[in-house]
Amino acid sequence: MQFRFKSRKLEQLYYNDKDDHHYPSDVVGVFFEVMATLAAATDERDLYAFKGLHFEKLKGKRKNEHSLRLNDQFRLIVTIEQDEQEKFLFIISIEDYH
């Protein structure tokens, strides 16, 4: 599945392995594993099927967003977007849930 980044910081982390000091080292490692899974997925059904990600819709003000578990404390927040050609994941942030 294709993806794009909301923030330059996350884009730099993914493509250039920069600014990783903003997150715990174990979170950065899992971030790359999750991104590899996202890249291999054909659509969001694959993400739901991979139970380890805990891919789930958020509620309330964030009802258009989804989260993927990086560890017990951190989540990767995404939205599913559609352009003229295909669906893609818009990577919003890594958030501390505690």
Side-chain angles (χ1 to χ4, degrees):
M1 192 166 199
Q2 299 294 323
F3 48 84
R4 298 179 188 150
F5 295 91
K6 179 177 182 178
S7 74
R8 184 88 170 134
K9 183 170 81 170
L10 280 175
E11 188 174 17
Q12 288 293 319
L13 175 63
Y14 181 71
Y15 289 114
N16 302 319
D17 204 13
K18 289 186 178 178
D19 294 329
D20 61 347
H21 63 276
H22 291 291
Y23 309 104
S25 60
D26 62 322
V27 171
V28 172
V30 176
F31 167 76
F32 285 107
E33 291 174 17
V34 168
M35 292 304 293
T37 302
L38 297 179
T42 55
D43 60 27
E44 64 269 16
R45 290 176 294 186
D46 291 342
L47 302 178
Y48 282 112
F50 189 66
K51 300 296 182 193
L53 291 177
H54 297 273
F55 185 66
E56 59 188 11
K57 292 180 183 181
L58 299 179
K59 299 176 184 176
K61 295 179 196 176
R62 304 181 86 178
K63 67 180 179 179
N64 295 325
E65 297 177 350
H66 293 75
S67 73
L68 299 109
R69 184 177 291 180
L70 298 177
N71 66 15
D72 288 341
Q73 184 175 355
F74 285 86
R75 305 290 187 272
L76 184 65
I77 307 301
V78 302
T79 58
I80 300 170
E81 305 287 332
Q82 176 80 43
D83 64 11
E84 301 82 36
Q85 300 170 355
E86 64 187 353
K87 280 187 177 180
F88 63 91
L89 288 176
F90 192 57
I91 311 297
I92 298 173
S93 64
I94 295 175
E95 292 188 10
D96 184 345
Y97 260 46
H98 293 148

